[in-house]
Amino acid sequence: MFTVTGEGPVFHLYNEFVSLVLAVRTDPEGGYQEVCLTHFGYPIDEPLNTLDRLILENGSSNDSLRQIMPYAFPTEGRGDYRVPLFAEAYEDGGNCTELYYEDYRYAAGKPKLEGLPQTYTEQDDEAETLTIILRDPLTKLKVEASITLFAHRPAIASSMKIVNEGSEKLTLSRAGSLCLALPGHFDMVQLWGSWGKERYVQRVPSATLVRSISSSRGASGHEHNPFAILCDPNADEFSGRCFGVSFVYSGDFEIAVQENAYDQTRLVCGLNPRSLDWPLAPGECFQTPEAVAVYSEQGFNGVSHVYHDLYRTRLCRGYWRDRPRPVLINNWEGTTFYFDHEKIMDIARSAAALGIEMLVLDDGWFGQRNNDHSSLGDWFVNYDKLPRGIKGLAEDVNALGMKFGLWFEPEMISPISELYEAHPDWCLHADGRPRTTARHQLTLDMSRTDVQDFVIESVASMLRSAPIDYVKWDMNRNFSEIGSSVSNRHGLPHRYMLGVYRVMEALIQEFPTVLFEGCSSGGGRFDPGFLYYMPQFWTSDDTDAVERLKIQYGTSFAYPNCTISAHVSASPNHQVGRVTGIKMRGDVALGGNFGYELDLPNQTTDEEKEVIREQVKLVKKIRETTHSGVFTRLLSPFEGNITAWSYADENRVILCAYRVLSTVKRGPVYVRLHDIPQGTYQDQNGKTYTERDLMNAGIKLEFPRQDFASMVTIFEKVK
Ligand code: DGJ
């Protein structure tokens, strides 16, 4: 719903869960009009009351006033000193920008962003969009700020279209997507990590500092996920005021939070200004990616529930969006590069016998790829390893009743490859500098359309040549020497990302039923941008069950479980050497898209195979619920020895609990469930519970006397 009142005017976008008020303030001395965000949060009735935040009557543009103003679109160089959303740079070295209110538009629905990932609507009544038009009176730069409020969700999407309507060439040195101006102080919760340790939850207390997370690696990265929550200091998983922010983009980003001495908090989210420098000639236009902000008073789970539902149903797209995913086996941890047709078929036969539905052939099937030193870019079959080719292998796998999937790393080029011999200028490089390799590889210059076309054709021709149902899209290094043979370095990381998005869009359009899974040395590009093209992501190369508790728990802050791939791997675990039982490994993998990652015939005993058979049966029975049920975190692995989470939908409730180390018996431990739909439920032993029993009395956690123990209880709804 939308109102516009007063002369200012004051805009109020609201639904039953959230209100957003933008007020135009006319400066009494200068006469110019600036737009302020006077409220974002719990629904309110009278938006004009929020004008107290503006000191409208007598405030002039003095120094301290500028530092208090809750600007919605703050700019550089006008004396507010906080992190700005926009900055232009001019040829004469100046960088001062003013953006004043000019007009607004309002429409039902959500406009499409060309060439970028985005949340979407299927019907116009699912959202409404307010567009505020701003202009710099000197340079004539026009900004159209679009703010979409989703119906029945406490969520907004915000993005900016920037047009140079002047006659001077400008450079955008900052072009953010969202600014939140919030009164008060907040803790910041973010997801940090490294390879094998992605998306650990970190809480940084309120401080009069700039707290910022970012990437300048060319990918959103392992280090910081483009996601943050600002919350009240007493907020926890279940209660407290929280503002979530998530950037729908896969490359360089920055989320900066600044509190000042006047009790004002500003959050700015967008492309990383370090690598933007976007030249904007007269007449040119630049569209920022979108940021999605969420409000909840139900703590972190409240924020996650909103992102889970929105991203599962209105960010992910296509054939697989609403379909539970096949149980797969991937050969990577089982064989790495050392396989041939027969070895893969042995794994496939054993997997088929246990009910596994798809075999994925990982790295090493192409060119001369017998280790990671060569062949990226040479996307043709290695017939020494696979004499019947990919087609023959896929057909043999299909004959077992299984689907077949294949790994690619399309954005890369090995210096030892036929592709590099033919096109040494196709990688990112800076003339006169060494070409720094990582994992012995260079990055293709995906800003070039000839390179994009080559990548589309390489992947597409393989997919056309064989019955391939799934693609794992890997990316195993970040940028260095960010330069191109065909363009200057300005804005190159963003042009790279636009190129990757164009390639992925072309492929998903041609192969709409192929299931694409993103990957980047594990979860190094697990972000909402990627999920628009590929509805699931390889969560981490660390597949140890204990380590995965933290990784998957953290990932679930922003991402629905149907996007989180989770596989059972060998024990002792390859990454950490820990020995865990097949039950614990399987129970942890229920936290996402379930699969296996081992040499089944050689790395499992007969007894383990029987457990696997039962696990696969269970997954098939409950996967509708793990795909789209409400996922709630109950006990955190970051806070104690026991982790627990649950799924709930109209059919069942699934409680998963894990105890890392055994302890002497200290009396029963109960976990109370949350967000359980009304009904009567029955567990495996025939005991019945109502939703109130589950939520108020809780369930007793019982683990066997051993380290690395788990329990999964399924409560089927009986009425
Ligand atoms: C990194 C991925 O995360 C792994 O799963 C595997 O696909 C390797 N790359 C293959 O090189």
Side-chain angles (χ1 to χ4, degrees), residues 332 337 362-363 369 407 439 472 474 476 519-522 538 541 597:
W332 176 247
F337 298 100
D362 212 279
D363 195 353
R369 184 85 167 167
W407 179 97
R439 210 194 186 206
K472 179 172 172 186
D474 208 346
N476 285 304
C519 176
S520 178
S521 294
W538 180 228
D541 277 343
E597 186 96 15

Side-chain angles (χ1 to χ4, degrees), residues 329-349:
I329 182 152
N330 176 306
N331 71 306
W332 176 247
E333 285 202 25
T335 70
T336 64
F337 298 100
Y338 308 106
F339 60 83
D340 57 18
H341 183 101
E342 262 324 297
K343 173 93 195 160
I344 297 299
M345 284 309 297
D346 283 347
I347 296 176
R349 277 187 285 268

Side-chain angles (χ1 to χ4, degrees), residues 3 57 208 210 227 263 291 359 372 390 413 437 491-492 551 566 607 659:
T3 60
E57 310 291 281
T208 18
V210 177
F227 170 80
D263 295 340
L359 179 125
D372 60 11
I390 289 295
I413 180 166
T437 53
L492 189 53
I551 294 169
E607 219 172 68
R659 189 184 60 191

Side-chain angles (χ1 to χ4, degrees), residues 339-501:
F339 60 83
D340 57 18
H341 183 101
E342 262 324 297
K343 173 93 195 160
I344 297 299
M345 284 309 297
D346 283 347
I347 296 176
R349 277 187 285 268
S350 264
L354 300 176
I356 295 172
E357 298 164 301
M358 177 157 75
L359 179 125
V360 176
L361 180 61
D362 212 279
D363 195 353
W365 56 267
F366 52 92
Q368 300 303 313
R369 184 85 167 167
N370 297 316
N371 52 44
D372 60 11
H373 288 240
S374 82
S375 302
L376 294 172
D378 295 347
W379 300 110
F380 39 82
V381 182
N382 180 335
Y383 284 94
D384 294 337
K385 285 183 180 175
L386 304 173
R388 287 177 34 67
I390 289 295
K391 181 161 187 283
L393 180 63
E395 285 170 354
D396 289 355
V397 169
N398 286 173
L400 298 170
M402 295 173 88
K403 293 176 184 298
F404 178 80
L406 195 61
W407 179 97
F408 292 88
E409 194 176 355
E411 299 160 59
M412 295 292 148
I413 180 166
S414 304
I416 305 175
S417 66
E418 293 183 21
L419 184 67
Y420 194 73
E421 270 172 38
H423 298 288
D425 59 327
W426 273 17
C427 62
L428 293 180
H429 63 279
D431 285 337
R433 307 272 180 207
R435 296 181 177 194
T436 305
T437 53
R439 210 194 186 206
H440 315 287
Q441 64 199 54
L442 296 165
T443 310
L444 279 173
D445 177 2
M446 295 295 292
S447 71
R448 293 176 60 149
T449 39
D450 52 356
V451 173
Q452 295 162 22
D453 292 341
F454 164 82
V455 172
I456 294 171
E457 200 39 42
S458 307
V459 178
S461 58
M462 276 311 299
L463 298 189
R464 286 180 210 122
S465 74
I468 297 169
D469 292 300
Y470 159 109
V471 166
K472 179 172 172 186
W473 183 289
D474 208 346
M475 190 242 198
N476 285 304
R477 66 156 294 175
N478 292 145
F479 292 1
S480 59
E481 294 89 35
I482 306 167
S484 165
S485 292
V486 296
S487 57
N488 67 31
R489 87 180 159 79
H490 293 289
L492 189 53
H494 183 55
R495 279 184 283 122
Y496 177 102
M497 241 14 272
L498 295 177
V500 173
Y501 289 148

